[in-house]
Amino acid sequence: MSQPTAAPQPQRARIPKTVWDLVFTLVIPILILSPNILGSGISVAELLGGGTGGNVRAYLVAALVPVAYVLVDLLVNRNVSPVALIGGAGAIFSGALAFWYVDGFWYAIKDSARSYLTGILFLISAATRVPFFRVFLDAASIGEKPEDRAATAEAMRDPGVHKGLVWGTVAFALVDLVGGVVNSVVNYGRVTARFGTDTFNAQVAEVNAIMRVPGLVISLVGVFVAIHLVQRAVKARYGAGASVLEPARLAQAIRERG
């Protein structure tokens, strides 16, 4: 008699990456900055020596945890796409700024520096042959058939579509700059304590929690506006059925247009 086959083991549900992103870029930093973690009486700053030195060390650890997470994720997944590399460069930039010990107005500027830099670089790229928003659209076609990706690249080179990419990049940059200003205003109004104190760390943690959702919403608005402008240019050139987010449909529309 044949041996009975073992029943397949059920696969464990994997934790979505977005959850890990939230844990390492928001939850853990907030806990590290808290002078009283979840009412337990435990403070990371006290564990790191207490006083000004302990608070500074806790601030640095909280700032560098998200940086380390992004870089480890980049290396583990061996993701060398332009989007991933831009994210890694932004993480390194944020990590370097953590060592700029300021409070008040300059802290408000520092906390939004990444948004300001991104916005400025995107505005500059809009005047070049490769507006940076094209990088994100190219990344969206990864995994598609080679011929469909080639169709997307061909569409991006069209003068009318390129113009849409330019305006989309400008729109994304301006929204990112607006997001930076909003974040700076909130930080300036709420982070009022002197750097190196328990209160300063607590205020930074509070603003991080407050601005997470609004910051994400502002970023998504920039993306949606940029995509809308590019899509409008693509449809004007290749017809209503063409979509830059669906390379197969775009390739079909290009073939129909000859």
Side-chain angles (χ1 to χ4, degrees):
M1 295 180 61
S2 59
Q3 295 293 329
T5 57
Q9 294 295 323
Q11 292 185 347
R12 293 183 179 181
R14 296 183 61 183
I15 300 175
K17 186 177 182 300
T18 51
V19 174
W20 289 118
D21 292 347
L22 186 66
V23 168
F24 282 96
T25 63
L26 182 66
V27 176
I28 291 178
I30 286 176
L31 293 177
I32 292 172
L33 291 169
S34 175
N36 184 11
I37 299 175
L38 300 178
S40 64
I42 299 174
S43 165
V44 172
E46 289 296 326
L47 296 176
L48 294 176
T52 300
N55 284 318
V56 171
R57 295 182 193 101
Y59 171 80
L60 287 176
V61 172
L64 294 177
V65 163
V67 178
Y69 169 71
V70 171
L71 295 180
V72 168
D73 181 62
L74 192 67
L75 294 173
V76 169
N77 293 323
R78 300 181 183 278
N79 190 349
V80 293
S81 70
V83 173
L85 294 177
I86 289 173
I92 293 173
F93 178 70
S94 297
L97 284 178
F99 295 91
W100 183 22
Y101 299 157
V102 289
D103 47 39
F105 173 79
W106 287 112
Y107 175 77
I109 297 298
K110 182 182 86 166
D111 197 62
S112 300
R114 186 170 176 175
S115 292
Y116 295 144
L117 179 63
T118 300
I120 291 171
L121 290 178
F122 268 68
L123 283 177
I124 293 172
S125 77
T128 70
R129 294 179 59 185
V130 184
F132 276 176
F133 196 70
R134 176 177 174 173
V135 174
F136 291 92
L137 294 179
D138 284 340
S141 67
I142 292 177
E144 301 289 341
K145 295 179 180 178
E147 57 269 25
D148 293 340
R149 291 203 70 194
T152 300
E154 179 183 342
M156 298 295 181
R157 291 191 295 268
D158 179 84
V161 176
H162 177 80
K163 186 176 180 180
L165 280 168
V166 169
W167 285 113
T169 299
V170 170
F172 180 86
L174 293 178
V175 172
D176 219 43
L177 290 172
V178 169
V181 171
V182 171
N183 186 67
S184 288
V185 170
V186 174
N187 272 280
Y188 186 68
R190 289 182 171 269
V191 184
T192 57
R194 184 170 55 85
F195 180 82
T197 62
D198 289 345
T199 306
F200 177 87
N201 283 5
Q203 290 173 344
V204 169
E206 179 187 18
V207 172
N208 286 346
I210 290 173
M211 288 303 299
R212 183 67 173 200
V213 173
L216 179 60
V217 170
I218 292 173
S219 296
L220 289 177
V221 167
V223 172
F224 289 144
V225 171
I227 289 177
H228 169 73
L229 293 172
V230 178
Q231 287 280 55
R232 187 173 66 179
V234 168
K235 291 179 184 297
R237 175 65 178 86
Y238 297 108
S243 172
V244 73
L245 298 179
E246 299 179 70
R249 288 179 59 186
L250 180 57
Q252 178 63 28
I254 291 175
R255 285 192 293 269
E256 291 175 355
R257 289 274 173 155

